[in-house]
């Protein structure tokens, strides 16, 4: 196996399937590093600091990428690039992420919003144990290019003051912007740029898919929260849609956190039906899923006491209908556990996730409060939804807990709340263990 995109690679790590990554070649978007005793980069030396800054700047200049620590890569005679050939997870104590941030902030310009993530190796593996460390480097917009390292390096690994370099990713290696190219850019004042940076075209907003699911669920007068995931570059029919262990089987036998009777997208009473080359799973009037022939997914959850407002009637005053924080968090996480793990890997390239809150201001308005669900009617201060057509998207991260956090961040903003008011999130992710602990 191998990963053919950043999303798929992160999805494998998040699902604790690192062996699926073995066989992935290094490229413009990924670099693998095994971990010696001093860590992936020896930040006690100038050379180690330079290597980290160089790799980050190069990926930023190449459109973004991942530095994945915990895999041994090797180039064979029959291959063009180095390929991840062995998992080498390691102890977290060999990496101090604060020092990594400090080195990048000191030696890379412009400043970049680099992110760091840990992923666990599966327990019980007799061959290996430990963790994987991933450095996620964002793409530098064209208008801000080029990212540079603010030091050069000598052959014996010492910094050269008053020097700089511009690294660029070249396949599985890093090169440097040639002097004549640097001269040209400086000499013409960057006049070759033809105006403002053009943002990449977003994935199409599948409005019709939401309407079709809305109608299939007979939710004409119902406020609905939609989840939607669309490949940025669809490639036609998804393979194995109806095959054994394909998507139809995945929908029929969902790997949920708490079983089919909890707040997820599984149902013990309905089965997915073929629909125009895709699948439709309807559990009216509560929820439904539509998977299109190209892999695009639309989920709909009713913002009523049947689903998002479950057990909240006694806490909903005359001016609104309160949404359960627990239900909202669980069904959001379950959506991305299903889509990130089972659908995104089927279609390579980048994806766009989206949430749409439809008719949340319909009388009586939907409300949401900071903190956990109340234990009696007067706890919490519910805030009403501020828009009837709330529609926001982000580039899929491929990690269910992180994508769920992004979705909740946009949902909470609809109610004038910060996502940190949700008791089941921490840093930049939903914490699955906190949800499970709540319902033990």
């Amino acid at each position: 196996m191998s990963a053919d995109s950043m999303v798929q690679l992160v999805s494998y790590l998040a699902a604790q399937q690192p062996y699926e990554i073995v066989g992935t070649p290094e490229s413009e978007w990924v670099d693998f590093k095994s971990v010696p005793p001093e860590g992936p980069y020896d930040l006690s030396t100038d050379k180690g600091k330079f290597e980290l800054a160089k790799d980050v700047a190069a990926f930023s200049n190449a459109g973004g990428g991942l530095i994945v620590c915990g895999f041994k890569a090797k180039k064979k005679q029959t291959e063009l690039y180095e390929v991840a050939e062995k998992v080498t997870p390691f102890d977290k104590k060999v990496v101090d992420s604060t020092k990594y941030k400090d080195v990048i902030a000191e030696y890379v310009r412009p400043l970049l919003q680099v992110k760091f993530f840990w992923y666990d190796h599966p327990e019980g593996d007799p061959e290996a144990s430990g963790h994987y460390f991933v450095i996620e480097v964002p793409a530098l917009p064209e208008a801000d290019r080029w990212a540079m390292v603010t030091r050069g390096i000598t052959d014996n690994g010492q910094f050269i003051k008053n020097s700089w370099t511009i690294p660029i990713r070249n396949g599985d290696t890093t090169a440097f912007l040639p002097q004549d190219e640097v001269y040209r850019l400086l000499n013409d004042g960057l006049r070759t740029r033809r105006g403002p940076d053009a943002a990449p075209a977003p994935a199409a907003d599948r409005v019709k898919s939401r309407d079709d699911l809305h109608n299939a669920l007979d939710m004409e007068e119902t406020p609905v929260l939609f989840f939607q995931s669309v490949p940025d570059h669809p490639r036609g029919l998804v393979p194995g849609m109806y095959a054994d262990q394909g998507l139809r089987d995945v929908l029929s036998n969902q790997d949920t956190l708490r079983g089919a009777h909890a707040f997820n997208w599984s149902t013990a009473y309905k089965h997915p039906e073929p629909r125009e080359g895709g699948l439709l799973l309807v559990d009216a009037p509560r929820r439904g899923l539509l998977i299109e022939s190209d892999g695009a997914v639309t989920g709909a959850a009713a913002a009523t006491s049947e689903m998002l407002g479950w057990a909240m009637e006694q806490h909903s005053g005359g001016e609104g209908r309160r949404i359960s924080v627990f239900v909202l968090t669980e069904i959001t996480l379950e959506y991305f556990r299903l889509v990130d793990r089972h659908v995104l890997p089927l279609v390579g390239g980048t994806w766009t996730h989206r949430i749409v809150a439809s008719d949340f201001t319909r009388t009586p308005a939907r409300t949401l409060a900071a903190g956990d669900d109340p234990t009696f009617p007067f706890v919490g201060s519910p805030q009403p939804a501020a828009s009837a057509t709330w529609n926001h998207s982000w580039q899929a991260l491929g990690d269910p807990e992180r994508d769920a956090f992004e979705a909740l961040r946009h949902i909470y903003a609809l109610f004038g709340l910060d996502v940190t008011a949700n008791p089941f999130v921490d840093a930049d992710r939903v914490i699955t263990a906190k949800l499970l602990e709540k319902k033990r």
Side-chain angles (χ1 to χ4, degrees):
M1 296 292 292
S2 65
D4 61 9
S5 69
M6 287 188 283
V7 168
Q8 189 175 57
L9 190 149
V10 170
S11 179
Y12 284 144
L13 288 176
Q16 295 188 11
Q17 297 176 318
Y19 291 105
E20 298 293 328
I21 297 170
V22 173
T24 301
E26 293 187 334
S27 66
E28 273 116 359
W29 61 267
V30 65
D31 187 35
F32 296 105
K33 292 192 177 294
S34 57
V35 181
E38 63 272 13
Y41 298 92
D42 184 0
L43 300 187
S44 66
T45 67
D46 286 353
K47 187 176 187 300
K49 294 174 183 176
F50 178 82
E51 288 295 318
L52 173 59
K54 177 201 67 168
D55 289 348
V56 167
F59 273 120
S60 187
N61 287 330
L66 303 174
I67 302 171
V68 183
C69 306
F71 288 84
K72 180 182 178 182
K74 185 177 180 180
K75 185 175 181 179
K76 299 179 180 179
Q77 290 183 345
T78 58
E79 295 167 338
L80 292 175
Y81 304 116
E82 289 193 355
V83 174
E85 67 167 8
K86 183 180 180 180
V87 300
T88 58
F90 57 96
D91 196 304
K92 288 184 177 181
K93 66 182 180 182
V94 303
V95 171
D96 184 341
S97 59
T98 299
K99 291 182 179 179
Y100 277 60
K101 292 178 184 178
D102 291 344
V103 168
I104 294 169
E106 183 173 359
Y107 296 111
V108 179
R109 290 294 181 273
L111 297 175
L112 301 173
Q113 296 297 316
V114 176
K115 296 181 179 179
F116 305 93
F117 301 99
W118 286 101
Y119 295 96
D120 298 330
H121 188 79
E123 295 183 2
D125 184 351
E127 301 296 327
S129 64
H131 312 274
Y132 302 92
F133 182 59
V134 177
I135 304 173
E136 185 179 287
V137 182
L140 191 65
E142 179 68 25
D144 293 335
R145 285 189 182 171
W146 295 78
M148 65 168 60
V149 180
T150 61
R151 293 287 191 279
I153 197 82
T154 64
D155 290 341
N156 62 355
Q158 300 298 312
F159 274 144
I160 303 172
K161 294 183 178 180
N162 302 317
S163 65
W164 48 267
T165 58
I166 299 178
I168 51 177
R169 192 77 180 163
N170 183 19
D172 66 339
T173 62
T174 298
F176 296 91
L177 199 67
Q179 293 179 347
D180 56 349
E181 178 66 7
V182 174
Y183 171 80
R184 185 187 66 79
L185 290 174
L186 292 173
N187 195 50
D188 65 12
L190 306 181
R191 286 194 299 266
T192 55
R193 292 180 180 159
R194 300 177 179 177
D197 184 32
D205 187 357
R206 303 277 178 106
V207 178
K208 183 178 183 301
S209 302
R210 296 197 295 271
D211 290 342
D212 288 348
L213 186 55
H214 199 265
N215 293 332
L217 290 166
D218 194 21
M219 291 179 167
E220 189 69 28
E221 304 294 327
T222 304
V224 179
L225 178 61
F226 290 101
F227 299 86
Q228 208 156 33
S229 304
V230 179
D232 292 340
H233 304 286
R235 301 179 181 178
L237 291 172
V238 169
M241 181 77 72
Y242 308 119
D244 289 343
Q245 300 184 350
L247 280 180
R248 179 162 56 184
D249 284 355
V250 169
L251 287 188
S252 299
N253 305 282
Q254 293 181 40
D255 176 23
T256 62
L257 293 172
R258 298 192 302 119
H261 297 286
F263 304 106
N264 50 56
W265 304 89
S266 178
T267 170
Y269 311 107
K270 303 288 184 178
H271 299 284
E273 301 175 355
R275 180 188 175 96
E276 298 179 358
L279 293 164
L280 176 66
L281 180 60
V282 171
D283 184 23
R286 307 179 69 207
R287 62 201 163 176
L289 275 174
L290 172 65
I291 300 181
E292 298 177 62
S293 62
D294 63 357
V297 183
T298 302
T304 67
S305 59
E306 295 283 350
M307 181 53 76
L308 296 182
W310 184 267
M312 289 289 104
E313 294 94 335
Q314 62 177 322
H315 309 297
S316 297
E319 298 181 356
R321 291 293 181 267
R322 189 162 178 165
I323 290 173
S324 164
V325 172
F326 181 86
V327 175
L328 174 64
T329 306
E330 183 174 22
I331 199 167
T332 299
L333 178 59
E334 289 282 29
Y335 174 84
F336 293 106
R337 289 181 76 247
L338 174 64
V339 175
D340 282 2
R341 291 180 177 178
H342 299 288
V343 184
L344 267 62
L346 298 178
V347 182
T350 58
W351 282 65
T352 295
H353 287 320
R354 182 184 305 274
I355 61 98
V356 178
S358 175
D359 281 344
F360 270 43
T361 57
R362 179 192 292 270
T363 304
R366 307 301 106 163
T367 65
L368 184 66
D372 204 345
D373 291 329
T375 54
F376 61 92
F378 303 105
V379 172
S381 178
Q383 303 297 313
S387 173
T389 55
W390 192 252
N391 185 329
H392 289 272
S393 64
W394 67 100
Q395 187 172 87
L397 302 169
D399 180 334
E401 290 188 340
R402 291 173 61 200
D403 278 321
F405 176 90
E406 285 298 313
L408 290 172
R409 186 170 70 86
H410 289 94
I411 294 168
Y412 267 65
L414 169 61
F415 299 91
L417 297 170
D418 190 84
V419 69
T420 54
N422 183 302
F424 305 107
V425 307
D426 186 25
D428 61 353
R429 63 182 58 241
V430 172
I431 306 301
T432 302
K434 288 186 177 182
L435 273 174
L436 296 177
E437 182 68 26
K438 170 77 174 180
K439 288 299 180 180
R440 281 182 181 174

